[in-house]
Amino acid sequence: MVRIIPMASSIRPSLSSLRFSGSSRFGVSLFSHNPCRRLTSLHLGTAVPQLQSFGLKATYLLRERGSRMAVTAAGNIANANTTTTHENVLEWVKQDKRRMLHVVYRVGDLDRTIKFYTECLGMKLLRKRDIPEERYTNAFLGYGPEDSHFVIELTYNYGVDKYDIGSGFGHFGIAVEDVAKTVDLVKAKGGKVTREPGPVKGGSTVIAFVEDPDGYKFELLERGPTPEPLCQVMLRVGDLDRAIKFYEKAFGMELLRTRDNPEYKYTIAMMGYGPEDKSAVMELTYNYGVAEYDKGNAYAQMAIGTDDVYKTAEAIKLCGGKITREPGPLPGINTKIVACVDPDGWKTVFVDNVDFVKELE
């Protein structure tokens, strides 16, 4: 029977966990005087003849109306300030220096997985870290250094040899110069090929699908030399428009393209912080009529760099995301992070850019 490891113990990424900070510092004052006093005075001035004609009753009504106007005016000013604050936070997101740092997931045999990734997929083992007191080990693999490349963070929890990948996770994408050659290598090493090389349906890009020893799928995409071979993470969502809006506003990602495939009843949206041929992107997939997915307990989260975890937390809250770990430093290493889930429940950790570099050092 598989023991379900809590997220905290299964993911203790370097600074790949999370951080946030939360108070808004974007208040804007629209008036330097007292708006209530001004509105009340104006109302009384125009009503003097009526006061003379109607006496005390009119005076009472006027005061009552003046009060209501003052309250309404104050409410409108507060709403304006709030709107301005929201706009400032969301505008800051667009200017934030963000980058997809790594993707975290769990495996049942760390050495076996490292061997498959290095021998079959051409990755390099960048570093490894064992935390015996918490009974887990991390391994970081990729095609270049962590300070400039998107990488994989594997987590092995002592004594757990199998996880449920679920139906929500899709695949990882790797750009290679020769898909057929890579597939032959995977086969030679005893790997599993689930889709032979050939053009993608409705297009000309040559692709293939392989599985690692734990059942995670990798899409091999034939592409020329690229600075970011580990190029995609595909997740399924229940409402594509909602997901696109959230990742644009809260995460500051750009919608790169969409493609609808009515014949196969699905639509995809590619989102990221740069073009697909030069940076890692997220591929969000909506299957017609499917609103929810089983996420299992294998895939963990994405880590994204940010200049300010506190402002990041504000933006996520404004856009309907849920903060699962408030912004602040991690005990022991002082790396500031904030953790959240999107409207579909997918987890993401934002890591302070400066702290991330320090941790790597």
Side-chain angles (χ1 to χ4, degrees), residues 138-278:
N138 291 137
F140 295 78
L141 297 101
Y143 295 98
E146 293 177 62
D147 61 358
S148 59
H149 287 72
F150 182 58
V151 306
I152 286 170
E153 178 181 339
L154 302 175
T155 297
Y156 168 70
N157 292 289
Y158 292 8
V160 183
D161 60 5
K162 189 175 182 181
Y163 293 94
D164 175 20
I165 293 177
S167 60
F169 171 78
H171 61 259
F172 302 110
I174 295 180
V176 299
E177 293 187 44
D178 190 326
V179 168
K181 184 177 179 180
T182 304
V183 166
D184 288 342
L185 179 60
V186 170
K187 289 179 178 179
K189 296 291 183 178
K192 183 178 180 181
V193 177
T194 59
R195 201 266 201 194
E196 292 291 338
V200 65
K201 293 183 176 71
S204 58
T205 302
V206 175
I207 67 167
F209 275 91
V210 301
E211 282 187 10
D212 76 359
D214 288 274
Y216 292 102
K217 292 182 175 61
F218 284 80
E219 180 181 17
L220 306 177
L221 302 101
E222 194 156 279
R223 187 181 290 175
T226 173
E228 196 66 277
L230 182 59
C231 58
Q232 291 179 7
V233 177
M234 192 276 260
L235 301 174
R236 297 181 176 92
V237 297
D239 184 325
L240 190 59
D241 290 336
R242 179 186 64 184
I244 290 172
K245 182 178 179 180
F246 178 81
Y247 281 95
E248 283 182 324
K249 291 182 175 293
F251 283 25
M253 288 186 176
E254 178 185 356
L255 176 61
L256 303 172
R257 64 184 173 93
T258 61
R259 186 178 79 236
D260 186 36
N261 294 273
E263 181 180 356
Y264 299 99
K265 299 185 183 300
Y266 74 90
T267 307
I268 66 168
M270 309 299 288
M271 307 196 71
Y273 298 109
E276 292 179 61
D277 61 339
K278 295 180 180 179

Side-chain angles (χ1 to χ4, degrees), residues 4 106 163-171 216-217 234-238 285 287 289-300 342-347:
I4 305 301
R106 305 170 182 93
Y163 293 94
D164 175 20
I165 293 177
S167 60
F169 171 78
H171 61 259
Y216 292 102
K217 292 182 175 61
M234 192 276 260
L235 301 174
R236 297 181 176 92
V237 297
T285 297
N287 292 290
V290 183
E292 294 184 2
Y293 293 93
D294 170 22
K295 294 179 178 59
N297 65 338
Y299 176 86
D342 71 4
D344 286 278
W346 293 113
K347 298 177 179 65

Side-chain angles (χ1 to χ4, degrees), residues 83-100:
T83 300
T84 303
T85 299
H86 291 184
E87 290 176 353
N88 286 346
V89 172
L90 297 179
E91 184 60 32
W92 173 84
V93 169
K94 298 177 184 178
Q95 307 303 320
D96 189 22
K97 294 182 180 65
R98 297 189 172 183
R99 178 176 71 86
M100 290 168 58

